[in-house]
Amino acid sequence: MPVYNVNVKWGRAIFCDVELNTDEEPMVFKAQIYALTGVLPVRQKVMIKGCVIKDENWGNANISDNITVLLMGCKEEDLPREPSVKPLFLEDMNVTEIASVSNTPAGLANLGNTCYMNATVQCLKTVPELRDCLKSFKGGLGISGGMISAQSVTAALRDLYELMDKGISVPPIMLLQVLQMAFPRFADKNENGTFVQQDANECWTEIIRMLQQKLPSLSNEGFDSKHQYFIDQYFGGVFEVELKCDESEEEPITRSEESFLQLSCFISQEVKYMSTGLKSKLQEKITKHSQCLNRDAVFTKTSKIKRLPAYLTVQFVRFYYKEKEAINAKILKEVKFPMEFDAYDLCTPDLQALLMPMREKFKDEEERRLKLATQMKDSVLTSHNNTPSDTKTTFTSEQFSFDTDLGSNNSGYYRLQAVLTHRGRSSSSGHYVAWIKQNENCWIKCDDDVVTPVSSEDVLKLCGGGDWHCAYVLLYGPKVLEIPDASSHESLPNNI
């Protein structure tokens, strides 16, 4: 394999022993240069003995060990700024500027069947606490030699989000490279030399597992944290599991705890709604060894949620292995999912009791708003002055976590904030897309680097039943209770 160690000269700085692999596209080498210098690939002019290196091939460059590669280009922060700000009209803006002023998220270029990774990155970016935690992560990339660590994946995701926050649609080269080095199956190629399509939920799981090892838990004044790492704190739940033998009353009931980072919605002929699919596996029959009978026996396994995380991931189990064709075939059955999900029925009695105070607050606030809306309507009908009051209501957001467990959910109420969909007939083919919530009235469809607004009705149509996009992974965030300040109780809230 033609791998060389070269020296990169950038101004007065010289970076020695930089790995250059001519089997890979020059963009991979330029991504390494970006990690060293901070100069974006689009601003780089790379020269080897007078030969300018393009993005797609190495041309006629004469490459050998210890040669000096000349880099020309500036970091974005070093570029000169105009002394005054000129008026800029919408028709004069480019795509990046329009995205910036319209608050449209940045897209991600498809690097060859990498839509599975792009969709995962877009969905996880909707978690504000995750973005904040990544910003404070100080680890760096380590992509030259040796094993790729969780630190490299975490740092690559942090840097990618930083670029996306600028409204720039970028190729996620660095994140793809470290993922492929950490998990070689993501680098598999077909006979045409392009990357093979991968399972988006596997990518989701592996990225979460890498973050789980490196991101420390958050702390907040007035809250206690029971967790050492952020992912366990905000994404991790706990099952209380009970095993009871069906064939022997003498067999003692065993109880244990199991951690989870996502719930699975199993799809059968009877399942029409997500809640039904989730409940179907909370009680199941398993076969295991019985101490009393001294043989294998049937047990009933009952699981209840003992801890609800702030962010609840739900995977629709749509793929199963088909031995005849040797593929992961897809279940296209329609399974409806809600915009707002109540996890109360999935919880243990002890947790249900703890959820009740906040649930009562939600109920009281809903009744108050309905009563106030009725009063306002009657007042307008009976008053000679039909002009609504200009008084504005100010709201205070209640905490969604228990005081003793930062990162938990203290009500059981969730709101959908991201959907990862798949279109196709198997997990190793087709196309993945992310649908993310921008505000109460608008969602954004992130189809690689094509970003378009859609409605909530469009999102609800992703329930399956045909060859259109089917929901595969859902991300629910905490429903936050907003109550008016004491001085505003008599005013009608704007969102009623």
Side-chain angles (χ1 to χ4, degrees):
M1 183 174 67
V3 179
Y4 305 96
N5 288 326
V6 301
N7 303 320
V8 177
K9 186 176 187 303
W10 178 50
R12 296 182 180 179
I14 298 179
F15 302 91
C16 300
D17 296 328
V18 180
E19 186 177 281
L20 187 154
N21 187 347
T22 55
D23 274 347
E24 298 173 332
E25 293 184 353
M27 277 299 287
V28 176
F29 179 65
K30 291 184 177 182
Q32 291 178 279
I33 293 179
Y34 164 67
L36 293 170
T37 65
V39 180
L40 289 170
V42 295
R43 301 192 185 280
Q44 295 178 14
K45 183 176 181 180
V46 179
M47 302 178 65
I48 299 179
K49 294 184 178 180
C51 178
V52 178
I53 304 302
K54 305 295 184 182
D55 290 342
E56 58 277 356
N57 59 68
W58 296 98
N60 298 322
N62 186 13
I63 304 173
S64 60
D65 278 325
N66 297 319
I67 65 168
T68 298
V69 177
L70 180 63
L71 169 66
M72 300 177 66
C74 297
K75 292 191 291 185
E76 187 171 291
E77 55 266 31
D78 294 338
L79 293 175
R81 306 292 181 185
E82 290 188 6
S84 60
V85 178
K86 299 178 180 180
L88 191 62
F89 299 96
L90 189 63
E91 56 267 25
D92 299 324
M93 294 182 180
N94 57 34
V95 175
T96 299
E97 291 167 334
I98 293 174
S100 178
V101 299
S102 63
N103 201 27
T104 302
L108 294 170
N110 193 319
L111 303 178
N113 284 331
T114 57
C115 56
Y116 67 93
M117 182 187 72
N118 291 348
T120 299
V121 168
Q122 292 283 16
C123 289
L124 291 176
K125 194 174 185 292
T126 64
V127 180
E129 293 86 356
L130 174 60
R131 298 200 306 270
D132 292 341
C133 196
L134 282 170
K135 287 178 181 178
S136 62
F137 179 68
K138 302 302 182 183
L141 289 164
I143 61 173
S144 56
M147 297 292 293
I148 290 296
S149 64
Q151 175 175 309
S152 298
V153 176
T154 305
L157 185 63
R158 175 202 61 200
D159 294 345
L160 179 59
Y161 281 167
E162 184 178 339
L163 287 176
M164 293 172 68
D165 285 340
K166 298 177 181 178
I168 304 174
S169 293
V170 294
I173 298 172
M174 189 62 66
L175 178 61
L176 177 64
Q177 185 180 14
V178 295
L179 275 178
Q180 289 176 343
M181 295 177 71
F183 310 103
R185 67 179 183 278
F186 291 150
D188 290 345
K189 295 184 178 181
N190 56 26
E191 59 276 7
N192 299 322
T194 58
F195 293 124
V196 175
Q197 181 67 281
Q198 301 290 338
D199 188 321
N201 188 56
E202 289 185 10
C203 179
W204 183 300
T205 302
E206 297 295 6
I207 289 178
I208 287 292
R209 190 167 64 85
M210 293 290 99
L211 299 177
Q212 187 180 23
Q213 298 176 39
K214 283 297 173 182
L215 292 182
S217 61
L218 297 180
S219 59
N220 198 354
E221 186 177 352
F223 284 84
D224 294 331
S225 178
K226 300 180 178 180
H227 301 88
Q228 183 179 359
Y229 296 105
F230 171 84
I231 295 298
D232 298 321
Q233 185 181 30
Y234 278 86
F235 285 81
V238 178
F239 278 126
E240 186 176 272
V241 181
E242 179 182 282
L243 282 174
K244 183 178 180 182
C245 183
D246 294 358
E247 301 180 31
S248 173
E249 293 292 337
E250 297 179 359
E251 183 81 25
I253 298 174
T254 60
R255 293 179 175 84
S256 61
E257 293 184 359
E258 294 180 2
S259 299
F260 67 87
L261 292 174
Q262 63 177 213
L263 298 180
S264 297
C265 176
F266 289 87
I267 302 174
S268 63
Q269 194 64 35
E270 298 76 23
V271 174
K272 296 181 180 179
Y273 300 94
M274 184 187 79
S275 58
T276 309
L278 292 175
K279 292 177 183 177
S280 65
K281 285 298 177 178
L282 292 184
Q283 188 172 75
E284 56 183 332
K285 302 292 184 181
I286 64 171
T287 301
K288 66 183 293 289
H289 184 76
S290 169
Q291 295 290 342
C292 291
L293 301 176
N294 199 26
R295 60 174 174 82
D296 286 345
V298 177
F299 285 74
T300 298
K301 180 181 179 181
T302 304
S303 301
K304 290 287 187 179
I305 296 177
K306 184 178 180 180
R307 186 208 188 240
L308 281 172
Y311 295 90
L312 188 66
T313 307
V314 179
Q315 181 218 359
F316 280 44
V317 186
R318 288 197 174 273
F319 297 107
Y320 67 98
Y321 188 71
K322 219 171 184 177
E323 292 187 8
K324 187 176 180 180
E325 290 85 0
I327 61 170
N328 283 325
K330 184 178 179 181
I331 302 172
L332 297 174
K333 187 178 187 300
E334 178 182 11
V335 179
K336 295 184 181 295
F337 55 88
M339 282 291 180
E340 294 194 0
F341 175 61
D342 185 1
Y344 181 81
D345 291 339
L346 308 180
C347 301
T348 63
D350 289 344
L351 180 55
Q352 288 178 342
L354 293 175
L355 298 177
M356 286 308 299
M358 183 56 69
R359 294 172 70 87
E360 288 295 332
K361 286 186 178 181
F362 270 102
K363 183 180 177 181
D364 293 343
E365 178 60 18
E366 183 179 358
E367 291 177 351
R368 190 199 66 80
R369 293 189 180 192
L370 287 173
K371 181 180 178 181
L372 188 57
T374 303
Q375 293 174 349
M376 183 69 72
K377 180 180 178 181
D378 294 341
S379 176
V380 170
L381 291 176
T382 57
S383 175
H384 295 291
N385 181 14
N386 293 330
T387 304
S389 172
D390 291 333
T391 306
K392 291 185 177 180
T393 306
T394 56
F395 290 88
T396 301
S397 297
E398 292 280 305
Q399 297 291 342
F400 57 77
S401 296
F402 290 110
D403 293 344
T404 57
D405 188 5
L406 182 62
S408 62
N409 184 306
N410 62 6
S411 68
Y413 293 131
Y414 290 91
R415 279 184 171 169
L416 186 64
Q417 65 183 49
V419 181
L420 190 153
T421 62
H422 177 265
R423 184 178 185 180
R425 292 299 181 113
S426 74
S427 61
S428 57
S429 64
H431 186 56
Y432 292 98
V433 171
W435 311 67
I436 61 178
K437 187 177 182 180
Q438 189 177 37
N439 53 52
E440 290 298 324
N441 303 314
C442 182
W443 282 69
I444 300 294
K445 177 184 178 183
C446 300
D447 188 352
D448 290 327
D449 55 353
V450 180
V451 179
T452 53
V454 294
S455 66
S456 56
E457 288 75 18
D458 294 325
V459 175
L460 290 174
K461 293 177 183 177
L462 304 173
C463 53
D467 284 330
W468 180 238
H469 292 280
C470 298
Y472 184 32
V473 182
L474 307 182
L475 180 61
Y476 283 91
K479 182 178 179 180
V480 179
L481 175 62
E482 293 186 346
I483 58 175
D485 295 336
S487 59
S488 306
H489 277 197
E490 298 304 320
S491 302
L492 183 64
N494 296 329
N495 58 350
I496 289 185

